[in-house]
Amino acid sequence: ETNTLPFHPFENQQGDILRTEKEHQVLKEQLREAEEKFEQLQSRSLEEITALEELLKKSIEETEVSQNELDWFHQDSETQMKKWQQEKKENKENLKALRGTVKKHSDTNERYLKTIDDKEKQYNECLNTFLETSNKFANDKGKLEELIKKSQGDSQECEKRAVKAEVQPKKQNSKSLKTFLLQTWKETEIWKLKGTIAKAEGNLKVLKGLCSSASAAPVLKAQINSWEIFISNVKKQLEKVEVEYEEKIELVKNGARECLSKVEIVDFPCP
């Protein structure tokens, strides 16, 4: 009877202690399992923490390397930027200089084109003047050649008459024939020399007219000098012919016999 009654104050009813012990055993078992699980979780957490720490360490190292690379990139970017800005400044200055050069060349080109137009007008004017003068002197040359040809014919005719007169001379007209012959020779040579001078002076006038162009002056200067020297030599020859023929005529008038000969003429080549 005693063993079946509740054991106060530990039991409210019979069997509470046994149930409490069973519950205690169950709780101990649960606690043990919980401790095992906690140890397993703690061990796994430590491994994960170690791995994460390694990963964090690696990430920090990579971050430092990346930061260094970023700093280097920034420095290189700044250097390139300064270089590009300097090149931009130089290119801008070069462009400004090139624009100035282009404008200068453009102005020079326009000035040359204007000069070419002016020179072309001068050339056309000189060419027209040359053609007109050339035609004029060609006509004058033809007239002079006809006159020289006629004078040569008259001279030859006089020479024939003089020679014929000298073969059978008469005392009363011998001097007059010789004088006439010398006079004819003199006039013929003078006509020839004057014709040459007139032709040369015409050529000289044309050359001086063309020499008005500044670009043609150096080329024509030597030719102008040659023609001036030629004209001077022919004029001296003309004076010589006139003087020597006059001397011969005076000798004939004074009774000299051996003086019926032509004056020697030097033939100067045309330039």
Side-chain angles (χ1 to χ4, degrees), residues 6-266:
F7 182 51
H8 293 286
F10 300 104
E11 290 181 330
N12 293 322
Q13 59 182 3
Q14 191 179 1
D16 285 343
I17 293 175
L18 292 175
R19 285 194 299 273
T20 301
E21 287 181 354
K22 288 181 180 180
E23 289 176 359
H24 181 68
Q25 290 294 330
V26 171
L27 289 174
K28 284 180 67 177
E29 186 65 27
Q30 289 179 353
L31 179 61
R32 187 183 61 78
E33 290 178 358
E35 286 177 352
E36 290 179 357
K37 288 181 179 180
F38 173 75
E39 289 176 357
Q40 291 177 358
L41 288 173
Q42 187 178 25
S43 176
R44 193 160 53 247
S45 297
L46 288 174
E47 291 177 358
E48 290 179 355
I49 289 170
T50 303
L52 289 173
E53 287 177 350
E54 291 291 333
L55 182 61
L56 179 60
K57 182 180 179 181
K58 185 177 180 181
S59 298
I60 292 172
E61 292 176 354
E62 291 178 354
T63 302
E64 290 178 353
V65 172
S66 298
Q67 185 65 38
N68 293 331
E69 290 179 352
L70 183 61
D71 294 339
W72 175 83
F73 178 75
H74 284 162
Q75 292 176 359
D76 185 66
S77 298
E78 290 178 357
T79 303
Q80 292 293 334
M81 182 63 69
K82 291 179 180 179
K83 182 178 178 181
W84 291 337
Q85 288 177 350
Q86 183 65 26
E87 289 179 354
K88 181 180 178 181
K89 182 179 179 182
E90 292 176 356
N91 291 333
K92 188 176 181 180
E93 292 176 354
N94 291 334
L95 181 61
K96 185 178 179 180
L98 287 174
R99 285 176 177 173
T101 303
V102 168
K103 187 177 184 303
K104 181 180 178 181
H105 288 325
S106 179
D107 295 340
T108 304
N109 188 35
E110 290 179 359
R111 187 167 63 253
Y112 285 160
L113 288 175
K114 187 176 183 301
T115 303
I116 289 171
D117 291 338
D118 295 339
K119 295 298 181 183
E120 187 174 0
K121 290 178 181 178
Q122 292 178 5
Y123 168 77
N124 291 331
E125 291 175 359
C126 292
L127 180 61
N128 294 332
T129 303
F130 170 76
L131 293 175
E132 292 175 1
T133 308
S134 178
N135 293 333
K136 179 181 177 181
F137 282 107
N139 295 331
D140 294 342
K141 177 183 176 183
K143 292 178 181 179
L144 288 173
E145 288 177 349
E146 291 178 1
L147 185 59
I148 291 171
K149 185 176 180 181
K150 182 180 178 182
S151 298
Q152 287 176 346
D154 295 340
S155 174
Q156 291 175 358
E157 186 65 27
C158 291
E159 287 179 7
K160 289 179 182 179
R161 290 199 305 269
V163 170
K164 185 176 181 181
E166 286 186 345
V167 173
Q168 296 176 348
K170 294 182 179 180
K171 292 182 180 180
Q172 60 272 19
N173 62 1
S174 176
K175 289 183 181 180
S176 62
L177 287 174
K178 289 181 179 180
T179 301
F180 176 74
L181 183 59
L182 289 171
Q183 189 69 30
T184 303
W185 286 345
K186 173 188 170 184
E187 291 177 357
T188 302
E189 295 299 334
I190 288 174
W191 272 107
K192 288 181 182 179
L193 293 173
K194 285 185 176 181
T196 302
I197 292 171
K199 181 180 179 181
E201 287 178 346
N203 292 335
L204 182 61
K205 186 177 180 181
V206 172
L207 291 174
K208 287 183 177 179
L210 294 175
C211 198
S212 61
S213 173
S215 60
V219 180
L220 299 177
K221 187 175 180 181
Q223 298 183 21
I224 291 173
N225 292 335
S226 298
W227 278 104
E228 288 177 345
I229 294 171
F230 174 76
I231 292 172
S232 176
N233 292 332
V234 176
K235 286 182 177 180
K236 291 178 181 179
Q237 185 71 23
L238 177 61
E239 294 175 359
K240 175 177 175 291
V241 168
E242 289 179 342
V243 171
E244 292 187 6
Y245 270 114
E246 287 296 330
E247 290 176 354
K248 285 179 178 289
I249 290 172
E250 287 298 321
L251 290 173
V252 169
K253 288 180 179 180
N254 292 331
R257 294 177 178 272
E258 303 298 330
C259 59
L260 190 63
S261 62
K262 290 184 177 182
V263 175
E264 184 178 355
I265 305 296
V266 179

